[in-house]
């Protein structure tokens, strides 16, 4: 999803006739290493605070480098130092190349890398942070350093893309809300409760399509953007999934390797084709113009 966000920012710069390869490559690699750094910090923070211990929800669906003993503490810090160091070096290179808002964008990104897991995620601010990061910060920021100027049209379009990762995260936090509540992690789904969280996800899903229609209706983008409507069959299924609470036990036929992920897995099955159609529509619209 991070690579797609950077690709989207680069595509929009190309569309504007202002694509510069070197800044785009630096931004793309910087974002990937920053995301890797955030993932490592996420595991470290929750492990150190005792959240990811024993059979916590997080350990049931994925590998945890510390809790599973895959690296030593020394190796972990070396790994973190490498990914973080590369991200900072690439960011400073971009600041030197572009100046302007680049330093502000870099500092904003560093803030979310360092503080997403704690305290933002713990106090219901993690989900809004993801919407902001995968939208205006990643897509808008990549566009800025690539094209050399800011664009509010790009920011609005980036929200369509960012809603995809946000629905996946919202689904995951709804899946594990009981476990988070027991651990004192107050994500937004924990604060809203199960029913409101599922309704909020439905609202975000609908907003993706409505924003695309609005961007075409206002003339900001052409009809190819409406290719996202081909994902409506996936949306219909997902709409029904979010209309009911999560099953207490794994349903028959549901992949054992995916369980206990439920809402997040279904949301990802929608986000993947929607994002692909969205990017394809933008490419076609750019070529036609």
């Amino acid at each position: 999803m991070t690579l797609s966000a950077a690709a989207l920012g680069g595509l929009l710069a190309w569309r504007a006739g202002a694509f510069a390869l070197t800044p785009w490559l630096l931004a793309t690699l910087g974002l990937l290493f920053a995301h890797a750094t955030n993932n490592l910090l996420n595991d470290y923070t929750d492990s150190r605070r005792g959240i990811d211990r024993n059979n916590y929800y997080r350990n049931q669906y994925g590998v945890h480098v510390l809790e599973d003993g895959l690296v030593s503490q020394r190796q972990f810090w070396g790994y973190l130092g490498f990914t973080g160091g590369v991200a900072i070096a690439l960011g400073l290179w971009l600041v030197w190349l572009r100046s302007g808002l680049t330093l502000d964008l870099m500092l904003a990104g560093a803030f979310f890398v360092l503080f997403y897991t704690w305290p933002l995620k713990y106090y219901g601010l993690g989900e809004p942070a993801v919407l902001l990061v995968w939208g205006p910060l990643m897509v808008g920021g990549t566009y800025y350093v690539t094209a050399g100027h800011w664009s509010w049209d790009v920011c609005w379009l980036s929200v369509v893309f960012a809603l995809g990762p946000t629905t996946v995260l919202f689904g995951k936090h709804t899946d594990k809300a009981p476990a988070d509540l027991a651990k004192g992690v107050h994500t937004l789904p924990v604060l809203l409760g199960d029913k409101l969280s599922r309704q909020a996800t439905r609202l975000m899903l609908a907003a993706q399509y409505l924003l695309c229609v609005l961007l075409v209706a206002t003339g900001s983008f052409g009809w190819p953007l409406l290719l996202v409507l081909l994902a409506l069959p996936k949306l219909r299924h997902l709409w029904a999934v979010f209309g009911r609470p999560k099953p207490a036990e794994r349903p028959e036929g549901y992949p054992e390797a995916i369980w206990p992920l439920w809402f997040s897995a279904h949301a990802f099955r929608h986000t993947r084709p929607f994002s692909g159609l969205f990017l394809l529509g933008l490419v076609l619209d750019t070529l036609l113009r």
Side-chain angles (χ1 to χ4, degrees), residues 8 134-137 139-140 153-163 278:
L8 179 55
W134 261 270
L137 191 56
V139 179
D153 282 344
V154 169
C155 280
W156 280 112
L157 189 75
S158 73
V159 172
V160 178
F161 175 81
L163 282 168
F278 178 66

Side-chain angles (χ1 to χ4, degrees), residues 25-289:
L25 284 175
L26 293 175
T28 300
L29 290 172
L31 288 174
L32 291 172
F33 276 97
H35 191 175
T37 303
N38 176 254
N39 284 346
L40 289 167
L41 285 173
N42 193 5
D43 279 356
Y44 173 78
T45 301
D46 284 343
S47 177
R48 186 67 180 268
R49 294 176 66 88
I51 302 297
D52 286 345
R53 300 288 168 80
N54 303 319
N55 198 37
Y56 179 62
Y57 191 96
R58 162 72 177 82
N59 299 349
Q60 296 176 38
Y61 67 80
V63 173
H64 193 301
V65 294
L66 289 172
E67 292 296 318
D68 292 343
L70 298 180
V71 295
S72 66
Q73 286 285 337
R74 182 178 179 180
Q75 289 171 324
F76 174 84
W77 287 112
Y79 192 8
L80 181 68
F82 174 73
T83 59
V86 171
I88 291 171
L90 292 171
L92 292 175
W93 191 351
L94 275 172
V95 171
W96 177 73
L97 275 179
R98 285 298 192 198
S99 65
L101 291 175
T102 309
L103 179 59
D104 300 305
L105 292 167
M106 179 183 172
L107 292 176
F111 172 82
F112 287 114
V113 166
L114 293 172
F115 301 115
Y116 165 76
T117 304
W118 189 91
L120 298 179
K121 186 178 74 173
Y122 279 61
Y123 296 100
L125 295 174
E127 297 79 10
V130 165
L131 182 63
L132 180 62
V133 168
W134 261 270
L137 191 56
M138 279 195 185
V139 179
T142 301
Y143 176 88
Y144 176 82
V145 299
T146 304
H149 64 271
W150 187 258
S151 170
W152 288 108
D153 282 344
V154 169
C155 280
W156 280 112
L157 189 75
S158 73
V159 172
V160 178
F161 175 81
L163 282 168
T166 307
T167 58
V168 174
L169 180 70
F170 224 87
K172 184 174 76 170
H173 287 174
T174 304
D175 280 336
K176 67 190 190 84
D180 279 340
L181 180 61
K183 292 279 189 174
V185 181
H186 296 94
T187 62
L188 199 51
V190 168
L191 297 175
L192 292 176
D194 181 74
K195 185 176 181 179
L196 278 179
S197 296
R198 290 184 283 110
Q199 290 176 345
T201 308
R202 278 178 157 186
L203 182 62
M204 288 186 285
L205 290 165
Q208 285 187 290
Y209 291 89
L210 292 174
L211 279 172
C212 285
V213 171
L214 183 62
L215 287 168
V216 172
T218 57
S220 297
F221 295 89
W223 64 263
L225 196 61
L226 297 180
L227 284 175
V228 296
L229 298 178
L230 295 175
L232 283 173
K234 292 283 188 182
L235 176 66
R236 183 174 61 180
H237 172 72
L238 185 60
W239 200 266
V241 168
F242 276 90
R244 300 182 295 270
K246 178 182 176 179
E249 302 290 338
R250 179 173 64 89
E252 185 177 353
Y254 190 80
E256 187 175 354
I258 297 176
W259 187 260
L261 296 176
W262 177 254
F263 292 123
S264 55
H266 281 93
F268 185 74
R269 289 183 64 188
H270 168 266
T271 294
R272 184 166 51 186
F274 180 93
S275 298
L277 290 166
F278 178 66
L279 290 171
L280 176 61
L282 285 173
V283 170
L284 289 176
D285 188 39
T286 299
L287 292 174
L288 288 173
R289 290 196 175 195

